[in-house]
C-alpha cells in the first residue's frame, strides 16, 4: 500500500506525502523548504524505497482471497513498473503474503507487455487491473480487446483519483472486483473496443 511509501518519506527524508489533489507530481513536499519533489527526482526516491523497504508494504483488503478464487479460472500475472532488479524481491514479498503468481517488470506504458502476454497465452478473455489511468489508455491502444478495470485499492488515495476514461469499470474493492472479473470470464468474450460495459 502506498501509505507505507509515505511513512518512509516522512521518516527518512522529512517529506510529506499527500494526494489531496490526485496529482502524484505534487504529492511530495519537503518540510524544510516547502518545495515539491520533481519528476526528475522521483526515480531516486522510488529506488530508495524499492527493494530495501518493500517489507513495509501490506496487503490491501480482500486481495489474497480474491486472487486465490480467480486463480481457478485465470492465469494471473503481476505486471509491475518496478525496475528489473526488483523482480525477485517482489516475488519474495508477495510470497510472504501467500500470493504466488508470475511477476513481470516493465518500464513505461503497460499496453505493449499486456499485448505480448495476450499473444503468449492465446486466451480471448483477458482482464487488466491497474490504478493509473495512463496504463489503461496504453492497454486500450495496444490491446483494445482486453477488459480494463480501474482500481485504486488504497483508501487514502481512491477518493482523490477520478475514474480512468479508458477503463471499462472503476471498482476500488477487491471483493467486488473479484465478481466483476469472474463475470468477464463467465461471458467468455473479449472486450469491445471503446466499450463502457
Amino acid at each position: 500500500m502506498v501509505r507505507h511509501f509515505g511513512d518512509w518519506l516522512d521518516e527518512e527524508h522529512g517529506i510529506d506525502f499527500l494526494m489531496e489533489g490526485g496529482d502524484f507530481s505534487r504529492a511530495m513536499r519537503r518540510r524544510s523548504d516547502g518545495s515539491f519533489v520533481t519528476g526528475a527526482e522521483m526515480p531516486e526516491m522510488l529506488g530508495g524505497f524499492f527493494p530495501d523497504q518493500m517489507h513495509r508494504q501490506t496487503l490491501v483488503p480482500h486481495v489474497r482471497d480474491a486472487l486465490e478464487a480467480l486463480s481457478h479460472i485465470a492465469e494471473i500475472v503481476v505486471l509491475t513498473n518496478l525496475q528489473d532488479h526488483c523482480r525477485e524481491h517482489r516475488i519474495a514479498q508477495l510470497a510472504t503474503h501467500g500470493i504466488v503468481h508470475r511477476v513481470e517488470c516493465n518500464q513505461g506504458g503497460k499496453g505493449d507487455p499486456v499485448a505480448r502476454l495476450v499473444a503468449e497465452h492465446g486466451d480471448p478473455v483477458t482482464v487488466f487491473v491497474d490504478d493509473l489511468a495512463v496504463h489503461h489508455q496504453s492497454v486500450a491502444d495496444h490491446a483494445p480487446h482486453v477488459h480494463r478495470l480501474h482500481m485504486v485499492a488504497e483508501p487514502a488515495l481512491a477518493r482523490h483519483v477520478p475514474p480512468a476514461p479508458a477503463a471499462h469499470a472503476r471498482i476500488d474493492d477487491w471483493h467486488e472486483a473479484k465478481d466483476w472479473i469472474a463475470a468477464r470470464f463467465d461471458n467468455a468474450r473479449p472486450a469491445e473496443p471503446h466499450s463502457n460495459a
Side-chain angles (χ1 to χ4, degrees):
M1 295 173 76
V2 75
R3 65 185 170 85
H4 302 298
F5 178 55
D7 291 343
W8 175 77
L9 288 172
D10 172 34
E11 296 164 11
E12 299 296 324
H13 297 282
I15 293 173
D16 291 326
F17 182 78
L18 299 170
M19 283 290 292
E20 293 177 351
D23 182 357
F24 200 85
S25 69
R26 298 181 66 81
M28 293 182 274
R29 188 193 294 262
R30 293 179 179 86
R31 287 195 295 275
S32 60
D33 62 6
S35 65
F36 290 106
V37 173
T38 66
E41 296 172 295
M42 197 76 65
E44 181 180 349
M45 291 295 176
L46 292 173
F49 187 79
F50 298 103
D52 293 341
Q53 299 297 316
M54 289 165 66
H55 64 274
R56 291 173 177 256
Q57 292 182 302
T58 57
L59 294 180
V60 295
H62 312 301
V63 65
R64 182 171 40 227
D65 292 342
L67 293 181
E68 169 60 26
L70 291 169
S71 71
H72 296 288
I73 61 172
E75 177 139 3
I76 297 171
V77 178
V78 178
L79 179 62
T80 175
N81 265 14
L82 292 178
Q83 296 292 317
D84 293 343
H85 72 274
C86 293
R87 180 174 178 271
E88 295 302 321
H89 296 279
R90 178 63 93 196
I91 291 170
Q93 175 203 28
L94 292 172
T96 64
H97 295 295
I99 296 176
V100 182
H101 300 291
R102 176 179 169 183
V103 174
E104 295 293 338
C105 291
N106 172 71
Q107 289 79 53
K110 293 184 178 180
D112 187 54
V114 167
R116 290 197 304 269
L117 286 166
V118 171
E120 174 187 336
H121 290 278
D123 190 336
V125 177
T126 305
V127 178
F128 174 75
V129 182
D130 204 272
D131 59 346
L132 296 179
V134 65
H135 292 311
H136 285 282
Q137 186 60 60
S138 180
V139 172
D141 292 341
H142 290 85
H145 294 290
V146 168
H147 298 278
R148 299 177 299 277
L149 174 61
H150 186 202
M151 174 187 287
V152 184
E154 170 64 72
L157 295 183
R159 65 181 180 271
H160 301 297
V161 180
H168 295 106
R170 168 70 179 265
I171 302 171
D172 294 330
D173 173 76
W174 267 108
H175 184 72
E176 183 182 349
K178 171 181 64 70
D179 293 337
W180 187 91
I181 294 168
R184 310 283 81 77
F185 285 94
D186 289 344
N187 192 32
R189 291 188 353 215
E192 293 293 332
H194 308 297
S195 169
N196 293 316

